[in-house]
């Protein structure tokens, strides 16, 4: 549906861009920081997390470019092992200093900080000590980490995201490791960790409301809406079920404080339900999010999977080999399939701008909560030309089409208050190193060669600059 008279983007819309600590900072063992689980689990075929984009040493230069781009907000994450190298206990003042410098520099340049508390980088010591998210011991440690953040930065940081992509962590063992030698099935372990992580999220929400005056907080969730492969009723049901398992399980827990009935029944029948202690559900119900961050890159297609099929995990496209993605199969529930109507990125991610409007409307109807796009972008192989330019027309095209759908969603009535694409600058891709780039700003390095790490504005930088300048009137 199109409108004859389209409303523009709101005047106070956040024009932002995103990064995450372990992907951009580098300095992974500097000034007191300890290792995180990502530092040791990253794909060994690519660059490691030791230097990445060297943002740790280049705050002023990087924020100056944000200012030049015109950004009115910036989403970054705090590194837990930089702030609390033992996961708890003594606070690392050098870590606090680093984030103070960053936040102050942003504010000085009129850029609102949007802060993610947890973006995959659990202190390794906590994984080794008690299995990280597998143990309820993490609840006090996570709350303590949040307290340190709110007390040190809450006077200036008013927008918070508790946990990045709990939904995807649930699927990717290197982000939420299971104990292979345990008698408890991997599936049950995952649901246990998911429950504990949701409790941690709820405690963060409550603490933020206590400690941060005027603070707004909520989750940032990674979503890929599932379409049915056909109008066959079995496929329609399969898509519903896929959305329940991959989207609404998490969002109903976050926003209603409830387990979906069908998923709870599934967990009981498959003996993988999490342990619920007295007070858990009351805590989840009482923690009210103020906002919802959406990470959206692609949609998915599913069809019914007969019970007799062998199950299969989702396999991320191997090292950027187009066509090597394997869709998941959950016998009796659903299986992934190709979408013949969509183009794909080099990494097989199906490009679907309209899917973003569909998703935003679904979420609005269901939860009536202010939303912000916390990630959206195109991972591509950018070429630096001999005269030092990056002509990334494919990225501009991707972002423009998604922004058009955001504007339509706003006209549909969705409360969308910002757009923070991935990523502000080139950084270490979680799955594919520096070969796969997302930034508006090119970082002059490759996986094998550090080069001079200089910052180069891509064509998309100038395009986004004009989008921001015209408040989205010229896309
Ligand atoms: C999201 C993560 C980001 C980022 C992005 C792109 O899942 O929140 O940290 O990495 O995806 O993914 P990738 O780097 O695998 O292309």
């Amino acid at each position: 549906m199109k409108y004859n008279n389209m409303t523009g983007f709101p005047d106070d819309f956040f024009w932002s861009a995103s990064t995450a600590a372990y992907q951009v900072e580098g300095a992974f063992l500097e000034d007191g920081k300890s290792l995180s689980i990502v530092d040791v689990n990253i794909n060994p075929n690519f660059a490691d997390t030791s230097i990445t984009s060297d943002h740790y040493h280049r705050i002023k230069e990087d924020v100056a470019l944000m200012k030049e781009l015109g950004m009115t907000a910036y989403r970054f994450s705090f590194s837990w092992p930089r702030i609390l190298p033992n996961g708890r206990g003594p606070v690392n003042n050098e870590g606090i200093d680093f984030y103070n410098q960053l936040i102050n520099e942003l504010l000085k340049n009129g850029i609102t900080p949007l802060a993610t508390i947890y973006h995959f980088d659990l202190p390794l010591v906590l994984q080794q000590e008690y299995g990280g998210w597998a143990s309820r011991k993490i609840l006090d440690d996570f709350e303590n980490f949040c307290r340190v953040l709110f007390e040190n930065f809450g006077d200036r940081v008013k927008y918070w995201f508790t946990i990045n992509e709990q939904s995807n962590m649930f699927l990717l063992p290197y982000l939420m490791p299971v104990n292979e030698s345990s008698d408890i099935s991997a599936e049950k372990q995952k649901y246990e960790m998911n429950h504990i992580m949701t409790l941690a999220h709820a405690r963060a929400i409550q603490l933020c409301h206590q400690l941060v005056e005027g603070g707004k907080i909520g989750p940032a969730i990674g979503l890929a809406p599932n379409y049915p492969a056909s109008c066959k009723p079995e496929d329609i049901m399969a898509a519903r079920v896929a959305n329940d398992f991959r989207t609404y399980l998490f969002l109903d827990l976050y926003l209603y404080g409830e387990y979906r009935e069908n998923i709870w029944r599934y967990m009981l029948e498959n003996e993988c339900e999490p342990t619920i202690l007295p007070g858990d559900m009351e805590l989840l119900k009482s923690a009210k999010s103020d906002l919802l961050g959406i990470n959206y890159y692609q949609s998915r297609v599913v069809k019914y999977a007969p019970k007799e099929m062998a199950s299969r995990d989702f396999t991320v496209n191997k090292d950027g080999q187009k066509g090597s993605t394997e869709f998941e199969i959950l016998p009796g529930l659903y299986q992934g399939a190709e979408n013949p109507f969509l183009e794909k990125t080099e990494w097989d991610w199906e490009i679907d701008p309209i899917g973003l409007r569909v998703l935003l409307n679904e979420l609005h109807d269901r939860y009536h909560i202010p939303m912000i796009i916390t990630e959206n972008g195109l991972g591509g192989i950018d070429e630096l030309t001999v005269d030092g330019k990056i002509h990334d027309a494919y990225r501009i095209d991707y972002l423009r089409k998604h922004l058009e759908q955001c504007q339509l969603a706003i006209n549909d009535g969705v409360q969308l208050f910002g757009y923070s694409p991935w990523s502000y600058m080139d950084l270490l891709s979680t799955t594919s190193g520096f070969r796969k780039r997302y930034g508006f700003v090119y970082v002059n390095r490759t996986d094998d060669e550090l080069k001079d790490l200089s910052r180069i504005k891509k064509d998309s930088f100038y395009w986004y600059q004009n989008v921001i300048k015209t408040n989205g009137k010229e896309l």
Side-chain angles (χ1 to χ4, degrees):
M1 179 176 173
K2 293 250 162 76
Y3 300 100
N4 293 333
N5 296 305
M6 285 267 281
T7 318
F9 290 91
D11 287 340
D12 55 357
F13 193 73
F14 280 140
W15 294 105
S16 174
S18 299
T19 64
Y22 76 90
Q23 295 175 277
V24 77
E25 286 176 8
F28 80 152
L29 281 174
E30 237 175 278
D31 294 342
K33 180 185 169 292
S34 68
L35 292 175
S36 76
I37 56 169
V38 202
D39 292 325
V40 295
N41 286 339
I42 202 90
N43 187 336
N45 297 333
F46 299 107
D48 61 20
T49 56
S50 59
I51 297 175
T52 62
S53 314
D54 199 32
H55 174 62
Y56 188 79
H57 298 113
R58 295 168 191 244
I59 292 181
K60 277 197 186 281
E61 183 187 354
D62 290 339
V63 176
L65 275 173
M66 290 178 202
K67 169 86 174 162
E68 187 182 335
L69 181 51
M71 281 162 57
T72 58
Y74 170 53
R75 175 180 178 237
F76 63 95
S77 77
F78 289 104
S79 158
W80 187 347
R82 189 178 298 290
I83 290 189
L84 293 160
N86 301 324
R88 65 170 90 85
V91 173
N92 176 25
N93 288 328
E94 285 167 294
I96 300 287
D97 286 351
F98 167 71
Y99 291 109
N100 268 330
Q101 280 174 43
L102 173 63
I103 291 162
N104 292 343
E105 196 63 24
L106 290 171
L107 292 172
K108 205 170 85 191
N109 285 285
I111 300 169
T112 302
L114 312 175
T116 310
I117 297 172
Y118 183 78
H119 197 122
F120 306 157
D121 50 355
L122 180 74
L124 184 61
V125 282
L126 299 185
Q127 185 67 40
Q128 289 166 339
E129 187 184 321
Y130 53 66
W133 292 104
S135 165
R136 282 189 181 239
K137 287 187 186 157
I138 202 165
L139 292 174
D140 285 344
D141 287 341
F142 185 72
E143 185 173 276
N144 175 53
F145 172 46
C146 292
R147 183 180 296 279
V148 172
L149 298 185
F150 297 148
E151 285 178 352
N152 279 280
F153 311 115
D155 57 332
R156 286 153 294 151
V157 177
K158 301 297 179 186
Y159 290 86
W160 297 85
F161 300 98
T162 52
I163 288 175
N164 182 67
E165 294 196 347
Q166 184 166 333
S167 44
N168 287 342
M169 271 188 273
F170 186 85
L171 290 179
L172 301 173
Y174 55 91
L175 297 175
M176 216 154 100
V178 296
N179 180 355
E180 307 282 351
S181 52
S182 164
D183 296 340
I184 302 168
S185 74
E187 195 174 24
K188 186 169 170 75
Q189 289 185 54
K190 281 194 204 172
Y191 283 108
E192 292 282 10
M193 286 194 273
N194 184 59
H195 184 72
I196 292 170
M197 202 177 246
T198 316
L199 295 171
H201 151 92
R203 280 168 69 162
I205 300 250
Q206 290 195 326
L207 196 67
C208 179
H209 287 152
Q210 274 168 35
L211 298 181
V212 181
E213 209 190 316
K216 292 189 189 304
I217 185 163
I221 182 120
L223 299 178
N226 293 283
Y227 298 147
S230 76
C231 53
K232 201 169 149 193
E234 285 83 350
D235 290 346
I236 307 277
M237 196 61 214
R240 259 195 84 100
V241 169
N243 284 325
D244 286 346
F245 273 86
R246 295 291 170 242
T247 298
Y248 299 124
L249 160 64
F250 307 98
L251 288 182
D252 283 8
L253 270 176
Y254 281 149
L255 301 173
Y256 296 151
E258 287 170 6
Y259 275 97
R260 289 191 57 74
E261 189 67 31
N262 58 345
I263 295 190
W264 189 255
R265 294 273 301 262
Y266 168 90
M267 294 190 294
L268 287 180
E269 288 180 3
N270 291 279
E271 297 177 352
C272 59
E273 77 283 7
T275 313
I276 311 264
L277 295 184
D280 282 3
M281 298 316 290
E282 290 74 10
L283 169 64
L284 298 188
K285 265 226 177 300
S286 66
K288 299 273 180 244
S289 292
D290 307 295
L291 48 84
L292 175 60
I294 308 292
N295 296 356
Y296 173 85
Y297 292 88
Q298 58 182 325
S299 58
R300 296 244 164 87
V301 169
V302 295
K303 57 185 179 185
Y304 179 64
K307 244 189 160 12
E308 319 68 71
M309 282 185 89
S311 72
R312 185 170 75 188
D313 286 340
F314 180 79
T315 319
V316 189
N317 161 309
K318 288 247 178 329
D319 300 347
Q321 298 303 314
K322 213 170 177 167
S324 64
T325 296
E326 286 185 334
F327 294 113
E328 64 178 340
I329 303 175
L330 279 77
L333 300 177
Y334 66 87
Q335 58 179 309
E338 302 251 349
N339 189 329
F341 301 103
L342 297 178
E343 285 182 19
K344 292 177 186 164
T345 71
E346 287 298 312
W347 275 263
D348 297 337
W349 294 23
E350 285 165 343
I351 302 174
D352 181 14
I354 294 175
L356 178 55
R357 182 184 182 187
V358 174
L359 175 68
L360 288 172
N361 271 281
E362 288 288 331
L363 299 179
H364 174 71
D365 290 352
R366 230 177 145 105
Y367 303 110
H368 297 284
I369 189 166
M371 290 184 275
I372 173 167
I373 306 300
T374 32
E375 288 181 32
N376 172 236
L378 180 92
I381 301 170
D382 294 343
E383 298 286 342
L384 182 62
T385 60
V386 273
D387 58 343
K389 304 243 171 8
I390 296 94
H391 300 304
D392 55 343
Y394 37 90
R395 182 166 295 110
I396 295 173
D397 188 55
Y398 178 103
L399 296 171
R400 173 189 292 127
K401 286 180 175 156
H402 283 80
L403 267 173
E404 282 167 2
Q405 297 301 320
C406 287
Q407 192 180 355
L408 282 162
I410 290 171
N411 279 267
D412 294 332
V414 169
Q415 303 169 65
L416 188 70
F417 67 95
Y419 182 66
S420 193
W422 190 263
S423 51
Y424 162 61
M425 64 205 293
D426 289 344
L427 40 69
L428 186 78
S429 154
T430 309
T431 51
S432 317
F434 269 86
R435 182 158 170 260
K436 186 185 199 183
R437 292 171 186 267
Y438 284 91
F440 292 112
V441 177
Y442 185 88
V443 174
N444 191 27
R445 65 161 293 174
T446 64
D447 284 308
D448 309 318
E449 233 190 308
L450 217 40
K451 301 195 178 171
D452 61 3
L453 290 155
S454 60
R455 281 49 177 148
I456 301 165
K457 292 169 250 175
K458 301 184 191 177
D459 286 359
S460 57
F461 181 100
Y462 298 105
W463 168 81
Y464 196 42
Q465 189 179 47
N466 188 54
V467 169
I468 300 176
K469 201 168 88 197
T470 61
N471 199 37
K473 284 188 187 70
E474 290 176 22
L475 291 180

